[in-house]
Amino acid sequence: MSAPAPLRAALARDQLIAALREADKLVVVTHEHPDGDALGSLIATQLILTQLGKDSVLYIVDGEFPLPYEYGFLGLPGHISAPPTDLAERTLVFLDCGNIDRNPAAAALCIPGAKILNVDHHHDNTRFGTVNHVDAEASCTAEIVWGLMGALGAELTPQIAEALYVGLLTDSGSFNYDSTSPRSHLMAAELIAAGIEVHRIYRRVYEDVPYAKLALLARGLSRVERYDDGRLIVSQLSAEDFAGAAAESSYSEGVIDHLRAVRDTVMAALVRDRLDPTGAAELTSDGARVRKVSLRASDDRVDVSAIARELGGGGHRAAAGFTTSLAWEPLVAFLRAALERQLGA
Ligand SMILES: [Mn+2]
């Protein structure tokens, strides 16, 4: 019989701390198309391990660049873009990565015998690590990293605090999502006391918006469709929309929040063409467009991660996503049916 969940969680945390203490050489990685929490927890962990005197590198492949402009101010300490030659000697630390199968570059690091430390807050984390510290109650992975610092004897520098705050701010929806807890605010208080400039970070992350992002939003809002008395609201952005707006793929971030906020919405979906390096639509071998679908729930009854998993994706109850080559009409039909199933209709 396995141990009860809280005990298992405490054991995993102890195992993680012991493994981090023990390791001399590490490589820190996160999920594909990293967001604010992925980058914030990644950078903070890299800084913490380096501060503790360890030889740590931060691995992000070239294909991920340019990173979203709003996180550019953080810098990438110890960044490498090819697997380290001494990979076999390094402990792998995965941050904010719920499913290793969706990150081929990171999965390629997992050579036989690799020590894999999996630190995450996705409730559907596939527990691919040799140590799995998964805390689904945490508002962000940065909150978990922050919670480890005391036990590791790490000092909260302004640079670490800034990276952690970006993770906290972005993954908690500026302290507005359900996952925001007293602990999230205690963390924020400690980060502010450590010297971060809250307003400056807000400006960097949420303002300083390239005009192309506004132009892309306008296109997204012009393609909105509503179904089933507005319970489902969907929009799409094609490769042509990105090109027409001169927008990078990350500029679609935030469009879905406008959809979710509409009255009567139960689930919002944004469907985007995946772009190849030239900005053209990525195609399957039989010529279909590969699309990324982001889902947001605005109703507690709905678990959008379960809907995303039906097509090979995943995420959180209120925010999830998947990739598909379904055409628009069957895709909308799938979303409508999946939502009705969730609502028990
Ligand atoms: Mn996260």
Side-chain angles (χ1 to χ4, degrees), residues 17-52:
I17 290 163
L20 288 171
R21 281 207 188 114
E22 198 177 289
D24 293 320
K25 301 175 83 172
L26 306 99
V27 49
V28 296
V29 289
T30 186
H31 60 75
E32 269 191 307
H33 314 307
D35 57 10
D37 186 33
L39 288 168
S41 55
L42 184 71
I43 293 163
T45 302
Q46 169 66 14
L47 291 168
I48 289 165
L49 294 172
T50 307
Q51 184 196 96
L52 296 173

Side-chain angles (χ1 to χ4, degrees), residues 37 96 121 141 171:
D37 186 33
D96 200 47
H121 70 129
T141 299
D171 250 30

Side-chain angles (χ1 to χ4, degrees), residues 18-172:
L20 288 171
R21 281 207 188 114
E22 198 177 289
D24 293 320
K25 301 175 83 172
L26 306 99
V27 49
V28 296
V29 289
T30 186
H31 60 75
E32 269 191 307
H33 314 307
D35 57 10
D37 186 33
L39 288 168
S41 55
L42 184 71
I43 293 163
T45 302
Q46 169 66 14
L47 291 168
I48 289 165
L49 294 172
T50 307
Q51 184 196 96
L52 296 173
K54 297 173 186 299
D55 169 358
S56 181
V57 289
L58 182 159
Y59 178 54
I60 302 179
V61 293
D62 284 337
E64 296 288 7
F65 291 88
L67 294 173
Y69 69 88
E70 54 268 58
Y71 312 124
F73 73 104
L74 289 172
L76 293 175
H79 171 236
I80 55 167
S81 54
T85 50
D86 55 358
L87 179 61
E89 299 164 37
R90 292 185 181 266
T91 297
L92 308 177
V93 186
F94 280 82
L95 294 144
D96 200 47
C97 189
N99 183 340
I100 197 167
D101 304 324
R102 292 206 299 273
N103 189 352
L109 295 178
C110 299
I111 53 180
K115 191 170 234 183
I116 302 167
L117 312 181
N118 172 9
V119 184
D120 185 33
H121 70 129
H122 293 89
H123 75 104
D124 59 355
N125 185 292
T126 55
R127 298 179 178 267
F128 54 83
T130 40
V131 175
N132 298 293
H133 180 39
V134 179
D135 178 1
E137 304 280 293
S139 66
C140 54
T141 299
E143 190 176 310
I144 303 175
V145 173
W146 168 73
L148 297 170
M149 291 185 68
L152 290 171
E155 185 202 339
L156 186 61
T157 63
Q159 202 187 359
I160 294 171
E162 189 166 79
L164 291 173
Y165 189 75
V166 168
L168 176 61
L169 187 67
T170 54
D171 250 30
S172 70

